[in-house]
Amino acid sequence: MLLLSTPQLEGLVDRTAITAAVSRGFAEIAEGHADQPGPTSMATPADSARFILMSAVSEASDLAGVKLLADVPDNAERRLPTQRSMILVVDRVDGSPVALLHGAVPTRVRTAAASAVATGALARPDSRALGLIGAGALAREHALALRDVRPFDRLVVWSRTRERADGLVTDLRDEGWPTSIEVAASPREVVERADVVCTLTPSVEAIVEGAWLRPGQHLNVVGARPRADEREVDGAAMARSSIWVDDRATARTKSGDLLRAIAEGAIAETDVIGTIGEVVADLVRGRQSADEITLFDSVGIGAQDVAVADVFIRAARERGLGTLVDLSA
């Protein structure tokens, strides 16, 4: 088995390859060549932590994998990451252990890659302004993953902490973002200025309102924790949008944005048009008009983890990175 640490994985990030792998993974599920059950979410009454199992098996990579995600809000007070994960991958044909990866880097890059695939499939071709609500590591990754998907020449960023927003701006300029970058005073200002909006915060209550949306926008709704009662956009935003998800079963159990809008009567589950994989595979429609508001409800799925694990494992083998462990010895 190959063990891959966070520093090793950071050095192996290839965003082009990762986005291509996530796109193939989406389509593979839609076409029936991969399988993934709905996630299992475990908890005890002792605290607010939840432990989520996300798994999939893929013919394209000949791998099966499972990620154990620990979602621990109380870690914020401990000054520790509020989400931690590990990804275990085995051979699909004979079941032999292949790799164990620290989950932070794969999760970050596959989440942004999923938004890149959705943006490529749904956003207007003439989208020029990208908006980021949130300025953490996931926001940085989204800016880097999406910058070539559309001809963006403006980036608008908001964070609850101005210092963090300014830090992201400096970081992206150092990364060579060739566009103007502005710091907004509010989430509403981001929505009003952007053609593509990515929500990337661990919000419990909605910070984006449907009344703010403009015809033709595309939203990637990403940041809320995998809990049925937490969300970033309100029911009106869901109702005004055409909605696609990464996986129906996962969205039914983990997406507070979807489930709370349904509970409020703003939408019905049947209003979900389909999955991004079905759009990529030409099995369901994508955007139908220039004025349509499109929304990708991203909750994260095991097939994405397996797809990007394959990219990292191949790259590590080519470069001779990682630690080999013989578990049978």
Side-chain angles (χ1 to χ4, degrees), residues 40-280:
T40 298
S41 183
M42 306 176 292
T44 71
D47 52 40
S48 62
R50 300 199 71 86
F51 298 88
I52 300 165
L53 294 173
M54 304 164 65
S55 56
V57 57
S58 162
E59 291 181 4
S61 64
D62 269 341
L63 297 175
V66 60
K67 179 168 76 176
L68 174 59
L69 169 65
D71 182 52
V72 189
D74 292 346
N75 271 0
E77 297 178 2
R78 304 179 181 115
R79 296 186 178 182
L80 295 172
T82 57
Q83 290 191 339
R84 289 170 156 170
S85 60
M86 300 295 293
I87 302 170
L88 173 65
V89 180
V90 302
D91 187 279
R92 184 189 68 84
V93 176
D94 62 17
S96 58
V98 173
L100 180 66
L101 296 76
H102 192 287
V105 175
T107 299
R108 187 189 77 229
V109 298
R110 63 84 154 146
T111 302
S115 294
V117 173
T119 301
L122 300 175
R124 284 173 45 151
D126 60 350
S127 298
R128 302 298 295 269
L130 175 62
L132 305 177
I133 297 177
L138 194 55
R140 175 184 181 276
E141 192 63 44
H142 270 71
L144 297 176
L146 270 67
R147 62 179 166 182
D148 296 324
V149 175
R150 288 292 185 267
F152 295 119
D153 57 20
R154 282 183 295 138
L155 179 65
V156 186
V157 179
W158 173 84
S159 173
R160 288 187 175 91
T161 306
R162 177 61 189 246
E163 181 181 1
R164 174 169 285 191
D166 290 339
L168 177 61
V169 170
T170 299
D171 190 14
L172 292 177
R173 284 178 176 149
D174 290 343
E175 289 279 357
W177 238 83
T179 64
S180 67
I181 307 178
E182 309 162 10
V183 176
S186 67
R188 180 170 186 166
E189 190 174 323
V190 174
V191 175
E192 290 175 343
R193 294 187 189 180
D195 302 313
V196 173
V197 177
C198 303
T199 63
L200 305 162
T201 71
S203 293
V204 174
E205 296 297 335
I207 58 171
V208 172
E209 298 180 14
W212 306 343
L213 303 183
R214 293 183 288 104
Q217 283 184 308
H218 171 69
L219 284 74
N220 296 307
V221 179
V222 180
R225 296 181 184 281
R227 297 170 184 243
D229 58 347
E230 300 186 13
R231 65 179 176 183
E232 292 183 291
V233 304
D234 66 6
M238 300 293 282
R240 290 193 63 192
S241 304
S242 299
I243 303 167
W244 289 262
V245 297
D246 43 18
D247 178 72
R248 290 180 184 272
T250 305
R252 283 196 295 266
T253 59
K254 289 170 54 179
S255 173
D257 293 282
L258 180 70
L259 294 172
R260 290 185 63 175
I262 292 172
E264 293 165 357
I267 62 170
E269 187 177 332
T270 53
D271 289 324
V272 175
I273 293 170
T275 68
I276 290 297
E278 290 168 340
V279 178
V280 172

Side-chain angles (χ1 to χ4, degrees), residues 23-35 57-61 277:
S23 182
R24 286 194 301 271
F26 275 142
E28 192 181 17
I29 296 172
E31 294 168 342
H33 298 294
D35 186 31
V57 57
S58 162
E59 291 181 4
S61 64

Side-chain angles (χ1 to χ4, degrees), residues 14-22 24 311:
D14 179 340
R15 292 182 177 87
T16 300
I18 288 164
T19 299
V22 169
R24 286 194 301 271
V311 174

